[in-house]
Amino acid sequence: MDAVLLARLQFALTIGFHFIFPPLSIGLAWLLVIFEALGWKKKEEAYVKIGKFFGKILGLIFAMGVATGIVMEFQFGTNWAEYSKFVGDVFGAPLAAEGIFAFFIESTFLGLYLFGRNKVSKGIHWFSIFMVALGATISAFWILVANSWQQTPAGYVIRNGRAELTDFWAAVFNPSTLPRFFHTFDASLISGAFLVLGISAYLILKGKEVETAKKAFKVALIFGLIVSALEVFPFGHEHSRQVALTQPEKFAATQGLYTTQSGAPIAVFAIPVDNPPELKAPIEIPGLLSWLVFGDISAELKGIDQFPQDEIPPLFLTFVSYHNMVLLGVYFIFITSLATFLYWKKKLWDKKKVLKIFVWSVPLPVIACQLGWITAEVGRQPWIVYKLLRTSEAASITVSAGEILFSIILFGVIYLLLGSLFLYVLFKEVKHGPEPLQNKEVAA
């Protein structure tokens, strides 16, 4: 057994499970900011019900995110000790900022939001969910700063075999931070929108609090259509251009660009194969990839034939994860556009098949987030810190493969139980639906 491969699998398992929850909590928190504002300003009972109902779900998701996030930081010291030695000086600052400025704000105001309804003024109560959403967003920013530094390191010197911070702001705003942050943040908003859309559609189909669910669906639909469109342009486009300019071998792998070409095509569909690298049955649009990157259909783009063999990322997984992420992005725009058209025509609530599609679509944005993360991390290989430290050099040398395998099995069992418990409580809450308001809770 390869200890490095097992350590990578363990990290993929733990972060993959954890990464289910942050996008949902960020997106749902910002939608609750809207719902609570409508309930406060319009004094409509339905929005108060929506806030109470989805607030409970936010609390459940937040608890899962915290429980599953703690494990990852321990792994830096156990399985990735050499990596920690190399980047500790750089990584300490953003991780500390995330804990002090973001998580503290998020957790403190979440308590006020969940337990302060009708105990504090409506303005303070709305401010509490706003701070939860802001704290979750700031938390995501600092985590992405740390990850982006691994992708495009900046603001450091190599001294005594380790990276030392020389320019804090250059490290924070390294070339990939902002494109990666906006792309991921918007993906989180899509995740939150589809969570509300799916649950609201379920309630409508089951005939529970129908008018309340319709109001939640309408707001989430408009919100979801806007953020889905923004994910393609400008956020997805700008992030893709940044990768093309700063990590060209990763970009070539995502696009199936195996040879250097002028007027490079974009592969709409293809089946990638290795040894030798080739796209089978490709459907391509000539020149479009060159135009998207350089604004010139004749511009030259580097293929993977321009890079050393030992610096080429895994081709099949990078291509497939990227293209399925894009496919899901197109689906989100299509289904929200269709539903908006039907709503405009006053036919949406009679289209049960469309509502059922939204119910089954709840996990798809989360899957898209996972595919995007796989693209980013697998496409960076063989580097754990791009051009500075290889993954094979970063693992701990004192932890055996057997010990890592045992911990993978242990984590797998724990996560299976945690995931089952989360789904049980979530489904129970959704089936119960929004509760009637007490007299003192009715907006007046």
Side-chain angles (χ1 to χ4, degrees):
M1 292 181 289
D2 183 342
V4 175
L5 178 61
L6 288 172
R8 290 177 63 190
L9 288 174
Q10 187 193 82
F11 200 79
L13 169 67
T14 54
I15 198 169
F17 189 69
H18 170 69
F19 196 39
I20 293 172
F21 305 104
L24 290 172
S25 61
I26 293 170
L28 183 55
W30 281 112
L31 270 165
L32 280 168
V33 170
I34 298 172
F35 290 138
E36 294 289 0
L38 290 171
W40 175 29
K41 294 298 182 184
K42 298 183 75 170
K43 304 184 189 311
E44 286 192 30
E45 184 177 315
Y47 290 113
V48 180
K49 283 184 183 177
I50 293 168
K52 283 189 67 178
F53 175 63
F54 282 106
K56 288 181 183 176
I57 293 174
L58 176 65
L60 175 64
I61 294 170
F62 177 81
M64 288 295 294
V66 172
T68 56
I70 295 171
V71 177
M72 291 181 302
E73 298 199 16
F74 286 114
Q75 289 178 87
F76 292 134
T78 55
N79 295 352
W80 301 101
E82 298 304 312
Y83 164 80
S84 297
K85 289 179 190 173
F86 185 80
V87 303
D89 186 63
V90 176
F91 251 45
L95 293 183
E98 191 270 339
I100 295 171
F101 299 117
F103 181 71
F104 179 76
I105 294 173
E106 186 182 5
S107 53
T108 300
F109 281 96
L110 181 62
L112 180 60
Y113 174 65
L114 293 178
F115 301 108
R117 190 182 296 275
N118 299 308
K119 296 184 177 67
V120 297
S121 70
K122 288 182 169 40
I124 291 177
H125 189 250
W126 175 84
F127 182 70
S128 66
I129 185 60
F130 174 77
M131 291 303 290
V132 170
L134 184 63
T137 305
I138 295 172
S139 176
F141 175 78
W142 286 113
I143 294 298
L144 287 166
V145 165
N147 182 272
S148 298
W149 188 86
Q150 294 176 257
Q151 308 280 349
T152 51
Y156 70 95
V157 294
I158 301 297
R159 188 177 291 140
N160 300 321
R162 56 194 296 273
E164 294 186 2
L165 193 63
T166 58
D167 187 335
F168 176 75
W169 294 113
V172 170
F173 293 104
N174 67 75
S176 64
T177 294
L178 291 181
R180 184 182 308 280
F181 168 72
F182 285 116
H183 186 59
T184 309
F185 173 61
D186 195 69
S188 300
L189 300 182
I190 297 171
S191 300
F194 272 79
L195 178 69
V196 174
L197 285 166
I199 292 174
S200 301
Y202 173 83
L203 294 173
I204 294 167
L205 289 167
K206 293 296 180 182
K208 289 187 175 181
E209 289 287 346
V210 173
E211 293 308 313
T212 300
K214 284 181 178 178
K215 287 182 181 293
F217 191 99
K218 177 186 171 185
V219 172
L221 178 61
I222 297 169
F223 184 86
L225 175 60
I226 294 170
V227 296
S228 294
L230 289 174
E231 189 67 336
V232 175
F233 186 86
F235 300 137
H237 174 65
E238 290 302 323
H239 187 31
S240 188
R241 283 191 73 246
Q242 169 261 309
V243 173
L245 299 175
T246 60
Q247 294 176 288
E249 59 274 66
K250 178 199 284 189
F251 182 75
T254 62
Q255 304 299 329
L257 195 64
Y258 300 148
T259 58
T260 300
Q261 297 181 47
S262 297
I266 197 164
V268 178
F269 173 83
I271 302 170
V273 295
D274 294 342
N275 301 318
E278 185 182 0
L279 293 182
K280 297 284 189 184
I283 300 175
E284 299 177 328
I285 302 175
L288 184 56
L289 195 59
S290 292
W291 182 77
L292 288 173
V293 175
F294 294 110
D296 178 0
I297 61 170
S298 302
E300 182 179 279
L301 280 174
K302 283 185 177 180
I304 61 168
D305 58 339
Q306 296 293 307
F307 301 96
Q309 282 294 314
D310 65 346
E311 294 185 10
I312 295 174
L315 298 177
F316 178 84
L317 186 54
T318 308
F319 180 92
V320 170
S321 57
Y322 172 81
H323 277 76
N324 279 289
M325 176 191 69
V326 173
L327 181 65
L328 284 173
V330 173
Y331 165 76
F332 300 146
I333 295 174
F334 168 75
I335 193 66
T336 51
S337 298
L338 174 64
T340 303
F341 175 75
L342 292 172
Y343 179 80
W344 178 57
K345 288 288 187 182
K346 303 185 186 305
K347 296 179 179 177
L348 176 61
W349 310 128
D350 299 325
K351 300 290 184 182
K352 292 187 177 180
K353 287 184 179 177
V354 175
L355 293 175
K356 285 180 181 177
I357 289 173
F358 277 102
V359 175
W360 288 102
S361 295
V362 169
L364 295 183
V366 176
I367 292 173
C369 288
Q370 300 270 333
L371 291 170
W373 171 71
I374 291 170
T375 304
E377 300 307 297
V378 174
R380 189 182 59 200
Q381 298 303 317
W383 307 101
I384 195 167
V385 181
Y386 188 59
K387 299 293 186 183
L388 296 180
L389 183 69
R390 289 177 181 267
T391 305
S392 58
E393 300 166 340
S396 299
I397 56 179
T398 56
V399 183
S400 70
E403 290 169 331
I404 300 173
L405 180 60
F406 174 75
S407 63
I408 290 176
I409 295 170
L410 190 62
F411 279 131
V413 172
I414 293 171
Y415 284 172
L416 184 62
L417 293 173
L418 264 179
S420 300
L421 180 62
F422 169 73
L423 291 175
Y424 170 76
V425 176
L426 177 65
F427 288 158
K428 186 178 178 183
E429 191 65 34
V430 171
K431 286 180 180 177
H432 186 266
E435 295 177 354
L437 299 180
Q438 299 175 12
N439 287 338
K440 64 179 182 179
E441 294 175 325
V442 177

